[in-house]
C-alpha cells in the first residue's frame, strides 16, 4: 500500500503544472528560476505575490497585476512611492497600485470610468506601459527609430508602435524572433522577467528632477483637491486634499468639498491663495506644507466674495479682498500681506501702494527688532523668537531696541553710575513669569556684539538660575569680551564672581567694532570662540541643570544682535 501511495504522489508531481522554481514561485517554469530570484532581490516581487492565482506564474498576467509590477519598477528606479489617484478614478477597482500607476501616467482606463482590472495584458500594451514607466521615473533611454522590423508589424496599433519598437530593439520582448505577436498575452513569469531586465539595464540612470515649486507650476481645482503640476518635471500632486473631510490646519478647521478660485503670486511662488466652498480665504504654503486661514483684523473668519492679487509696484503680492459679513451683508475691501496679516482698509487708501508701504515698513521694523533665535533649541518651552518684551532685565538695565538696515539689535548699558548696578543682565529664563528657558547639559550660544565705547566687558550668560538685582547676584556662567584690555573671559557667579579663565585676543578692539561671540557647553566642557577662533577650552562642573540664557554687560554700552541658541550637533 505504501508503494502504491508513493507512486501516486510521484505521478501527481510529474504531471502537475505546479513546478516550484526554487521552491517559492508557484507554477513557474524551471528555466525562469534564476531571473525570478533576481527580481525578488531587486524588490520587484515578493514570495507572496501571485500565490493565490490558479496556475500561479504560468497564468497570463492581468492589467491590475501588471500595474503592481509597474509601480514596483518605478519605486525600484526612483526610491519613491508614487502618489495615488483618487479612489473615485475608476468604478470597477480601487486597487492602490492601479491608482498609483494611473497617477504617474503609466496606465490608463478603458473609458467611461472603467479600468477592466481582470482583463489580460496584451504584449503591445505591456510594451507601452514599460516605456511610460521609464518616462515617469525620469530614466534617460533610447526610444528607437519607431521603425518596426518584425513580420507582423501591421498588427501593432498606431499608439503602440514606439513602445513595441523600444522593447523589441532592446531585446526585452522578442516574440519568436520573427513575429512580435502584439495582441497575444504574456504569462506572469514572462512579465516579471521583462520588468527585471528593464530594471537591470536602467537602474541608477534616473534623471527625474525633484519637484521644485520655485521653477514654476500650474494649478487646477479637481474633485480631489488643489492639484499642482510642476514645470520642472511635469509631475502633478494634490497639495490640498478634499478626500479626508475635516482637517486641522494652521489658522482653523477646514471642511472642504471644493474650491471656488485660486491665485498664485508670481513673485512669491511659495504660496497659493484660494477660496473654499463656503467663501473663506486660505493659502497653501509650499515651504512647510501648511494651510493658513485668513482672519479679519478683529479675529473673525474672513468671508470672501471676491479677491485679487495686487500687481503694481514693488508691493506685488498683497491681497485686496472684498469681505462680505455673513449676517449683515456689509462689504469691506481689505488688504493683507503675504503672511495673512491685516494691513488696512482699501476703501480709505487713496494710493494703496504708498500706504501699504508705510504700514508694512512699520510692521517690518517691529518684527526686526532684537530677538533670540531659539528655533532649533530642544526643551525650550517659551516663545520661538524671544524679543525684548520676553527678556527679564535686572540691575536697572537701560535697554532699547532698534532697527538699522533691516537688522534688529538691542542696546544695553547701566542706567547710572551706582556701583551696585553696573552689571545689568537680560535673561530669558526661569525668573521670568512667562518664559521657561532651554539650557541643561549643553548647547551652542552665539551673538554679535557691537561696542559703543571701549570700557568694561559684555557677553553671554547661560545655565543661569536665581537671578536678582545687583552685581553678580545670580547663579550661572558668563563669557564676555573686554575691549579695554582686548581679552575674552570666562567666569561664574554664585552670588559672588569667580574668574575661570582670561585670554588675550591678540588684537585691538575699538569703538564701533562688531565681534561674534560663541560658546559651546558640552557637559563640563566649555569652549569659547571670538570671530570663529577658539580662545578658551576648559572644564567646570558647577552648573549643569536647566536654566536661563541671555546677555550681560559690565560698566559698558553695547548693542547685541543675531542671538541664537542651538542644541549640540552630536
Amino acid at each position: 500500500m505504501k508503494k502504491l501511495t508513493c507512486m501516486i504522489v510521484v505521478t501527481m508531481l510529474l504531471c502537475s503544472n505546479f513546478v516550484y522554481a526554487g521552491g517559492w514561485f508557484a507554477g513557474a517554469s524551471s528555466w525562469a528560476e534564476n531571473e525570478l530570484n533576481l527580481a525578488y532581490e531587486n524588490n520587484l516581487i515578493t514570495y507572496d505575490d501571485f500565490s493565490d492565482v490558479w496556475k500561479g506564474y504560468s497564468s497570463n498576467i492581468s492589467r491590475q497585476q501588471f500595474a503592481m509590477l509597474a509601480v514596483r519598477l518605478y519605486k525600484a528606479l526612483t526610491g519613491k512611492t508614487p502618489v495615488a489617484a483618487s479612489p473615485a478614478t475608476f468604478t470597477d477597482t480601487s486597487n492602490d497600485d492601479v491608482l498609483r500607476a494611473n497617477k504617474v501616467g503609466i496606465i490608463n482606463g478603458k473609458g467611461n470610468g472603467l479600468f477592466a482590472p481582470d482583463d489580460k495584458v496584451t504584449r503591445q500594451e505591456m510594451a507601452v506601459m514599460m516605456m511610460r514607466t521609464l518616462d515617469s521615473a525620469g530614466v534617460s533611454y533610447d526610444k528607437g527609430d519607431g521603425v518596426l522590423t518584425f513580420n507582423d508589424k501591421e498588427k501593432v496599433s498606431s499608439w503602440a508602435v514606439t513602445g513595441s519598437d523600444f522593447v523589441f530593439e532592446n531585446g526585452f520582448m522578442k516574440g519568436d524572433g520573427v513575429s512580435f505577436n502584439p495582441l497575444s498575452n504574456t504569462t506572469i513569469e514572462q512579465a516579471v522577467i521583462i520588468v527585471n531586465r528593464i530594471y537591470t539595464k536602467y537602474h541608477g540612470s534616473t534623471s527625474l528632477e525633484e519637484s521644485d515649486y520655485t521653477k514654476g507650476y500650474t494649478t487646477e481645482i479637481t474633485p480631489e483637491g488643489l492639484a499642482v503640476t510642476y514645470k520642472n518635471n511635469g509631475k502633478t500632486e494634490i497639495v490640498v486634499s478634499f478626500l479626508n473631510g475635516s482637517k486641522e490646519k494652521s489658522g482653523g478647521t477646514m471642511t472642504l468639498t471644493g474650491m471656488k478660485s485660486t491665485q498664485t503670486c508670481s513673485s512669491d511662488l511659495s504660496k497659493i491663495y484660494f477660496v473654499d466652498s463656503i467663501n473663506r480665504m486660505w493659502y497653501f504654503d509650499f515651504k512647510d506644507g501648511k494651510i493658513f486661514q485668513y482672519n479679519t483684523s478683529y479675529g473673525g473668519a474672513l468671508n470672501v466674495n471676491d479677491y485679487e492679487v495686487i500687481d503694481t509696484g514693488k508691493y506685488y503680492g498683497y491681497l485686496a479682498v472684498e469681505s462680505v459679513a455673513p449676517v449683515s451683508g456689509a462689504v469691506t475691501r481689505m488688504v493683507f500681506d503675504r503672511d495673512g496679516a491685516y494691513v488696512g482698509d482699501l476703501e480709505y487708501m487713496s494710493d494703496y501702494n504708498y500706504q501699504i508701504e508705510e504700514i508694512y515698513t512699520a510692521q517690518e521694523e517691529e518684527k526686526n527688532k532684537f530677538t533670540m533665535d531659539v528655533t532649533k533649541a530642544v526643551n525650550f518651552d517659551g516663545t520661538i523668537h524671544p524679543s525684548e518684551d520676553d527678556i527679564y532685565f535686572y540691575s536697572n538695565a537701560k535697554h532699547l531696541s532698534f532697527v538699522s538696515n533691516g537688522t534688529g539689535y538691542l542696546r544695553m548699558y547701566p542706567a547710572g553710575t551706582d556701583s551696585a548696578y553696573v552689571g545689568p543682565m537680560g535673561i530669558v529664563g526661569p525668573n521670568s513669569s512667562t518664559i521657561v528657558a532651554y539650557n541643561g547639559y549643553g548647547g551652542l550660544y552665539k551673538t554679535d556684539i557691537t561696542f559703543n565705547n571701549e570700557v568694561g566687558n559684555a557677553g553671554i550668560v547661560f545655565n543661569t538660575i536665581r537671578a536678582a538685582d545687583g552685581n553678580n547676584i545670580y547663579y550661572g556662567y558668563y563669557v564676555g569680551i573686554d575691549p579695554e584690555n582686548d581679552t575674552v573671559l570666562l567666569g561664574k557667579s554664585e552670588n559672588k564672581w569667580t574668574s575661570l579663565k582670561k585670554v588675550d585676543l591678540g588684537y585691538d578692539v575699538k569703538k564701533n567694532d562688531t565681534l561674534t561671540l560663541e560658546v559651546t557647553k558640552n557637559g563640563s566642557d566649555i569652549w569659547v570662540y571670538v570671530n570663529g577662533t577658539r580662545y578658551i577650552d576648559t572644564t567646570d562642573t558647577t552648573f549643569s541643570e536647566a536654566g536661563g540664557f541671555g546677555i550681560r554687560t559690565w560698566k559698558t554700552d553695547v548693542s547685541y544682535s543675531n542671538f541664537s541658541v542651538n542644541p549640540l550637533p552630536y
Side-chain angles (χ1 to χ4, degrees):
M1 185 65 182
K2 288 183 179 178
K3 271 190 175 180
L4 179 60
T5 303
C6 290
M7 289 179 64
I8 292 172
V9 171
V10 171
T11 303
M12 289 175 64
L13 289 172
L14 291 174
C15 297
S16 172
N17 287 320
F18 291 86
V19 179
Y20 290 83
W24 291 106
F25 308 111
S29 304
S30 57
W31 58 265
E33 175 183 341
N34 288 337
E35 289 201 77
L36 291 177
N37 275 311
L38 287 174
Y40 170 78
E41 292 173 4
N42 292 330
N43 296 314
L44 299 172
I45 57 173
T46 71
Y47 289 138
D48 294 328
D49 291 337
F50 314 114
S51 60
D52 59 345
V53 180
W54 185 71
K55 290 188 176 181
Y57 280 77
S58 63
S59 60
N60 289 329
I61 194 165
S62 69
R63 286 167 54 80
Q64 184 161 294
Q65 290 167 339
F66 194 77
M68 177 188 72
L69 288 181
V71 169
R72 297 265 183 88
L73 176 59
Y74 179 97
K75 290 167 65 176
L77 291 170
T78 66
K80 299 178 181 179
T81 301
V83 175
S86 164
T89 301
F90 301 112
T91 59
D92 55 351
T93 183
S94 59
N95 177 268
D96 190 63
D97 287 315
V98 170
L99 297 176
R100 293 184 190 280
N102 174 259
K103 183 66 175 179
V104 293
I106 295 173
I107 194 167
N108 297 319
K110 296 282 190 177
N112 298 319
L114 298 176
F115 179 75
D118 297 323
D119 283 5
K120 304 306 177 186
V121 178
T122 65
R123 289 169 58 80
Q124 67 176 6
E125 287 175 334
M126 185 182 299
V128 171
M129 286 188 279
M130 285 294 87
M131 194 168 68
R132 286 178 181 169
T133 303
L134 294 177
D135 288 337
S136 65
V139 172
S140 298
Y141 65 98
D142 183 5
K143 294 184 178 181
D145 56 12
V147 177
L148 303 179
T149 57
F150 40 79
N151 65 6
D152 56 350
K153 59 186 178 182
E154 71 282 351
K155 295 182 181 180
V156 177
S157 300
S158 58
W159 51 265
V161 169
T162 303
S164 298
D165 181 55
F166 163 69
V167 296
F168 186 80
E169 291 296 330
N170 283 280
F172 299 131
M173 297 173 65
K174 293 296 290 184
D176 59 11
V178 178
S179 299
F180 183 67
N181 303 313
L183 302 180
S184 298
N185 301 126
T186 301
T187 64
I188 292 173
E189 66 183 5
Q190 290 170 337
V192 171
I193 289 170
I194 291 167
V195 169
N196 186 65
R197 288 174 179 173
I198 290 175
Y199 169 78
T200 300
K201 181 168 182 175
Y202 294 112
H203 77 277
S205 61
T206 54
S207 59
L208 186 66
E209 288 186 75
E210 292 283 341
S211 296
D212 186 352
Y213 71 86
T214 65
K215 296 182 179 178
Y217 53 86
T218 58
T219 61
E220 180 185 4
I221 301 172
T222 71
E224 290 77 40
L226 174 59
V228 171
T229 300
Y230 300 94
K231 290 185 177 180
N232 70 306
N233 61 12
K235 291 300 174 186
T236 300
E237 69 170 319
I238 301 294
V239 295
V240 181
S241 174
F242 304 150
L243 299 178
N244 299 323
S246 180
K247 285 189 173 183
E248 290 292 333
K249 295 293 180 181
S250 176
T253 301
M254 180 175 62
T255 305
L256 300 179
T257 55
M259 289 182 185
K260 304 182 82 171
S261 55
T262 66
Q263 290 194 33
T264 302
C265 172
S266 62
S267 67
D268 184 9
L269 289 173
S270 67
K271 295 184 177 68
I272 303 174
Y273 307 97
F274 63 91
V275 176
D276 70 18
S277 56
I278 55 175
N279 267 3
R280 294 176 303 176
M281 187 79 187
W282 303 76
Y283 70 70
F284 168 78
D285 192 338
F286 279 102
K287 292 178 181 177
D288 56 15
K290 289 184 178 180
I291 302 168
F292 183 90
Q293 180 182 347
Y294 276 81
N295 293 324
T296 61
S297 59
Y298 48 86
L302 185 66
N303 192 278
V304 177
N305 190 46
D306 192 17
Y307 74 107
E308 60 183 350
V309 176
I310 297 173
D311 58 359
T312 55
K314 68 178 183 178
Y315 312 109
Y316 188 105
Y318 289 92
L319 284 113
V321 178
E322 185 177 275
S323 180
V324 183
V327 179
S328 67
V331 177
T332 306
R333 297 200 74 207
M334 297 176 288
V335 176
F336 291 84
D337 69 13
R338 297 180 182 91
D339 297 319
Y342 174 71
V343 174
D345 192 329
L346 193 64
E347 183 178 353
Y348 298 105
M349 293 183 182
S350 57
D351 182 350
Y352 60 73
N353 260 330
Y354 173 76
Q355 293 186 33
I356 287 172
E357 176 187 20
E358 195 174 58
I359 296 169
Y360 187 65
T361 299
Q363 291 177 342
E364 284 295 293
E365 287 186 351
E366 184 65 30
K367 187 170 68 176
N368 286 331
K369 287 184 179 180
F370 178 77
T371 62
M372 295 179 176
D373 184 359
V374 294
T375 306
K376 297 179 180 178
V378 295
N379 299 327
F380 183 78
D381 299 323
T383 56
I384 295 300
H385 293 282
S387 66
E388 176 192 1
D389 295 334
D390 303 308
I391 299 172
Y392 195 92
F393 291 93
Y394 297 90
S395 303
N396 294 339
K398 186 70 174 178
H399 56 280
L400 299 168
S401 283
F402 297 91
V403 175
S404 176
N405 297 322
T407 299
Y409 64 94
L410 175 72
R411 183 178 179 183
M412 190 171 76
Y413 50 92
T417 58
D418 186 334
S419 61
Y421 297 99
V422 293
M425 294 188 299
I427 296 178
V428 177
N431 291 65
S432 169
S433 61
T434 58
I435 299 295
V436 176
Y438 162 83
N439 244 171
Y441 177 84
L444 307 177
Y445 306 89
K446 185 177 182 180
T447 189
D448 293 334
I449 302 175
T450 301
F451 290 92
N452 301 315
N453 54 37
E454 294 184 43
V455 297
N457 56 72
I460 299 171
V461 286
F462 53 101
N463 286 94
T464 307
I465 58 174
R466 298 201 295 278
D469 289 332
N471 292 331
N472 300 315
I473 307 303
Y474 66 97
Y475 285 73
Y477 295 106
Y478 167 69
V479 168
I481 296 173
D482 180 344
E484 189 173 1
N485 298 298
D486 300 321
T487 58
V488 57
L489 57 98
L490 167 66
K492 62 184 177 181
S493 176
E494 297 174 273
N495 285 341
K496 180 180 179 181
W497 176 251
T498 301
S499 178
L500 295 175
K501 205 154 191 178
K502 183 181 292 188
V503 178
D504 287 335
L505 289 171
Y507 52 86
D508 185 16
V509 179
K510 297 180 180 179
K511 180 180 178 180
N512 298 322
D513 281 354
T514 298
L515 287 78
T516 300
L517 177 64
E518 186 174 1
V519 182
T520 298
K521 172 72 158 52
N522 183 7
S524 61
D525 294 327
I526 302 175
W527 302 329
V528 181
Y529 302 79
V530 178
N531 289 346
T533 299
R534 187 160 77 186
Y535 285 91
I536 294 177
D537 181 348
T538 191
T539 60
D540 189 84
T541 59
T542 308
F543 305 113
S544 60
E545 66 270 33
F549 52 80
I551 51 181
R552 178 180 183 268
T553 67
W554 178 261
K555 297 182 180 181
T556 191
D557 179 349
V558 297
S559 298
Y560 297 92
S561 58
N562 302 317
F563 194 110
S564 63
V565 182
N566 286 280
L568 296 171
Y570 40 81

